[in-house]
Amino acid sequence: MLLGIKTIIRFNMRVLFVCSGNSDVFAITPFIKNQADSLVEQGVELDFFQIKVKGFAGYLKHVSKLKQHLADNTYDIIHAHYSFSGWVAVLARPVCPIVLSLMGSDTYGSTEGGLIRRIKNMFVATQARVIQLFCKRIIVKSENLFRFVWQKKKAHIIPNGINMDRFKPLDKDACKKDLGLALDHRYLLFVADPNDSRKNYKGASAAVELLNKREGHDFELLCPFPVDNQMLPLYYSSCDALVFPSKAEGSPNAVKEAMACNMPIVATPVGDIEWLFDKTEGLQISSFEPQDMADGLERVIEQSYSNGRKRIVNLGLAADLIAEKLITIYKSLITS
């Protein structure tokens, strides 16, 4: 009987994701959509409320729209993604608990810039601290973000999970054919926005250029951004290694996806990279120096594979397991 009651609570749960919908590239940010899908697969009824403007003032214009949506619909939990979305949820004054996911730059601001940027960063950091007062639970993606949470009794470190059925090793030649890539050509992969200075495409490009000056190496650096999340496994299996020279991260999804495909990776020690990699074969941590990145690429290319998928499994980062952790948090708020 008790088991039956738990099942009823779990599958009658209704959750609203409040998140940005203003991207020119994706209708919903892929990792948020993937998290939603994993919750739905666990039996959660889930809707999206998208904020289709930019800037804090623009977000605030959606408060009245969310109020109206909540007047017309009933939810057990509101889960806001990014701090500005959290403010829309808080100011709409819902009767249900609010869970807030802090992602990274919404917590501490940009890592680069002059005086104006530093002022903006102070605003971002301040609002990210204040909003914690109004949320029942706070989720951060990595240990390095946890230090920005002062309401620590409310906080949980839960990285985004990986769909292990989608992200898995595939036949290289078949993937190259599907993508229209030359079978006799070798590729390295950069999957972020090359115009985002934080992602450091220049560093990746410089490292590959240095690598190609060495005997026996002739690689093309692929940058397919933007790319449909469903297509990414083809790229991970087509290329010889992922180059990830980012300057700041929380828990980078591309790295975990590539790990699940057993792709060799060279990455800078940002976010939770060191925890993700540990001493796993085929995964190399590099400094920000292109020469060091080139050395790392040469090493992992020689190995030609990684044990990243096993590491993802051992860390419990499969999407269904992460969904269960979120559901446990939701249920604790609903039944308290």
Side-chain angles (χ1 to χ4, degrees):
M1 179 64 72
L2 288 176
L3 181 61
I5 291 174
K6 286 184 179 180
T7 303
I8 291 171
I9 292 173
R10 176 177 176 176
F11 287 94
N12 280 350
M13 189 182 301
R14 194 172 186 210
V15 176
L16 180 66
F17 270 21
V18 178
C19 59
S20 169
N22 59 34
S23 171
D24 297 327
V25 179
F26 305 107
I28 298 172
T29 303
F31 70 82
I32 295 176
K33 178 65 166 58
N34 291 342
Q35 187 175 95
D37 290 343
S38 67
L39 288 167
V40 170
E41 287 176 4
Q42 296 282 342
V44 173
E45 184 179 350
L46 191 145
D47 294 332
F48 285 95
F49 180 85
Q50 293 181 263
I51 302 166
K52 299 185 178 182
V53 293
K54 296 183 179 181
F56 190 64
Y59 272 69
L60 294 180
K61 293 178 182 178
H62 277 67
V63 172
S64 60
K65 295 179 181 179
L66 180 55
K67 280 185 178 180
Q68 184 58 56
H69 182 82
L70 294 175
D72 298 334
N73 300 273
T74 301
Y75 296 97
D76 298 298
I77 295 287
I78 292 178
H79 189 162
H81 297 264
Y82 292 99
S83 55
F84 285 7
S85 297
W87 280 112
V88 176
V90 166
L91 295 174
R93 300 176 63 85
V95 296
C96 62
I98 296 171
V99 175
L100 172 64
S101 283
L102 294 172
M103 306 295 190
S105 60
D106 63 318
T107 312
Y108 52 73
S110 173
T111 58
E112 302 177 336
L115 177 61
I116 294 177
R117 171 50 62 188
R118 289 198 295 272
I119 293 172
K120 288 182 178 179
N121 287 349
M122 289 176 60
F123 168 73
V124 169
T126 300
Q127 62 83 31
R129 288 177 63 82
V130 174
I131 196 173
Q132 296 172 34
L133 291 167
F134 305 100
C135 301
K136 292 295 185 180
R137 295 291 185 273
I138 300 158
I139 295 170
V140 292
K141 303 302 177 180
S142 59
E143 187 73 38
N144 67 305
L145 293 180
F146 188 72
R147 62 191 176 93
F148 293 97
V149 179
W150 64 282
Q151 294 268 295
K152 294 192 184 300
K153 291 184 178 180
K154 299 179 180 179
H156 301 264
I157 301 173
I158 304 180
N160 293 321
I162 301 302
N163 184 327
M164 302 298 281
D165 293 326
R166 180 185 305 167
F167 294 98
K168 59 187 177 183
L170 302 170
D171 181 77
K172 177 174 285 192
D173 285 351
C175 290
K176 282 186 172 182
K177 288 179 180 178
D178 287 342
L179 294 173
L181 300 175
L183 296 181
D184 60 351
H185 201 59
R186 303 187 74 183
Y187 300 94
L188 298 173
L189 184 64
F190 181 92
V191 292
D193 182 353
N195 296 314
D196 184 344
S197 60
R198 181 169 59 96
K199 300 298 184 179
N200 193 19
Y201 176 76
K202 289 182 179 180
S205 181
V208 175
E209 184 177 346
L210 287 172
L211 178 66
N212 284 339
K213 290 179 179 179
R214 302 177 184 182
E215 185 178 353
H217 295 303
D218 183 17
F219 290 92
E220 179 181 343
L221 181 60
L222 285 185
C223 182
F225 183 89
V227 59
D228 190 301
N229 195 250
Q230 301 281 346
M231 297 295 290
L232 277 173
L234 301 182
Y235 283 98
Y236 292 138
S237 289
S238 293
C239 299
D240 290 271
L242 176 70
V243 192
F244 196 86
S246 187
K247 297 178 180 178
E249 294 287 342
S251 181
N253 298 292
V255 168
K256 290 179 288 187
E257 292 166 354
M259 288 173 66
C261 296
N262 278 342
M263 186 183 198
I265 305 169
V266 173
T268 46
V270 292
D272 60 0
I273 291 289
E274 292 178 291
W275 172 72
L276 286 171
F277 283 12
D278 194 32
K279 298 178 182 178
T280 306
E281 193 170 8
L283 307 177
Q284 183 79 39
I285 293 177
S286 162
S287 73
F288 293 95
E289 293 298 323
Q291 186 70 53
D292 195 28
M293 274 184 244
D295 292 343
L297 285 168
E298 192 165 43
R299 284 191 289 270
V300 299
I301 288 165
E302 279 184 12
Q303 291 176 306
S304 77
Y305 72 96
S306 83
N307 285 326
R309 186 175 182 86
K310 182 179 179 181
R311 177 67 177 164
I312 290 291
V313 171
N314 289 343
L315 291 175
L317 294 178
D320 57 337
L321 298 180
I322 296 298
E324 288 177 5
K325 290 183 179 182
L326 292 174
I327 289 169
T328 298
I329 291 172
Y330 297 161
K331 287 170 67 174
S332 70
L333 295 173
I334 294 170
T335 58
S336 61

